[in-house]
Amino acid sequence: MLKLGLAKKPRSIGVSNYSIPKLKRILALDGPKPVINQVECHVGFRQEALVAFCQAQGVHVTAYCPLGRPDGSVPLGPGEVTPLEEPIVLEIAKRLGKSPGQVLLRYLTMRGLSVVPKSVHAVRLAENMDCTQGWSLSVEDVEMLKVIPQRRIVMGKFYVGPKFTFKTLEDLWDA
């Protein structure tokens, strides 16, 4: 991609699931820098350090799974709930007259992120579009959301293995 960028073929390049160490490596190379990094990000996995680093470098962050993957494909442990079911989210949504999904999306857009929520329901699609229309979360709301436990829900097992660039999850996530 960098070679294509030097040849002026693409207008811009983006990356997905790049950690700070991976971003540092690509930013140090000659050529165009990525303008966007698409990563898992939601109230239950805020990625504060990564988002701050990207913003400082002028790399926009797009959040995938911004609702915390509510489709049930990730097993929950005992006592765990999805971000859509978090009592704090439900309390804020009720007080504001918004859906839990709208609260979760607004939280991310207020941080300057773009979001890619998935829905096939017309009502939810309309609600998603309303996440930036004339309302916001208070400072107190945001602080309340910051106590939600953090955990990755996209483990990335489908990105690793002998035939892939990353052989282990530790290689993929730099951890």
Side-chain angles (χ1 to χ4, degrees):
M1 289 304 297
L2 288 175
K3 288 178 185 175
L4 288 173
L6 291 172
K8 305 287 187 228
K9 300 221 190 260
R11 291 190 342 218
S12 58
I13 63 170
V15 294
S16 183
N17 295 314
Y18 267 50
S19 60
I20 293 173
K22 287 179 177 71
L23 283 167
K24 284 181 177 179
R25 286 198 302 271
I26 197 169
L27 292 170
L29 299 173
D30 277 340
K33 69 178 183 175
V35 297
I36 194 163
N37 187 16
Q38 185 180 38
V39 297
E40 175 188 351
C41 191
H42 46 82
V43 74
F45 193 59
R46 291 185 302 273
Q47 301 238 49
E48 290 171 344
L50 177 61
V51 169
F53 179 82
C54 286
Q55 290 173 336
Q57 298 299 316
V59 177
H60 181 74
V61 176
T62 294
Y64 68 77
C65 297
L67 302 176
R69 194 98 178 236
D71 62 5
S73 61
V74 177
L76 297 173
E80 289 184 322
V81 296
T82 69
L84 285 168
E85 302 164 322
E86 280 286 346
I88 294 167
V89 173
L90 296 174
E91 175 188 328
I92 293 169
K94 182 177 180 182
R95 185 170 27 81
L96 295 175
K98 299 293 181 182
S99 72
Q102 286 174 306
V103 169
L104 296 174
L105 296 176
R106 186 65 180 132
Y107 169 75
L108 293 170
T109 60
M110 285 177 61
R111 292 179 64 199
L113 283 64
S114 53
V115 294
V116 286
K118 175 193 170 277
S119 184
V120 296
H121 302 284
V123 170
R124 288 193 198 125
L125 290 169
E127 286 178 354
N128 292 348
M129 293 301 295
D130 181 52
C131 76
T132 61
Q133 302 298 315
W135 67 281
S136 61
L137 302 172
S138 69
V139 172
E140 294 79 18
D141 293 334
V142 171
E143 290 305 311
M144 288 171 61
L145 293 170
K146 287 184 178 179
V147 304
I148 293 174
Q150 300 294 288
R151 76 178 185 104
R152 179 183 299 281
I153 58 172
V154 177
M155 297 304 159
K157 293 178 183 174
F158 43 85
Y159 296 131
V160 299
K163 297 179 182 178
F164 295 98
T165 301
F166 303 106
K167 307 303 180 212
T168 67
L169 289 174
E170 290 76 18
D171 291 339
L172 175 64
W173 302 124
D174 296 316

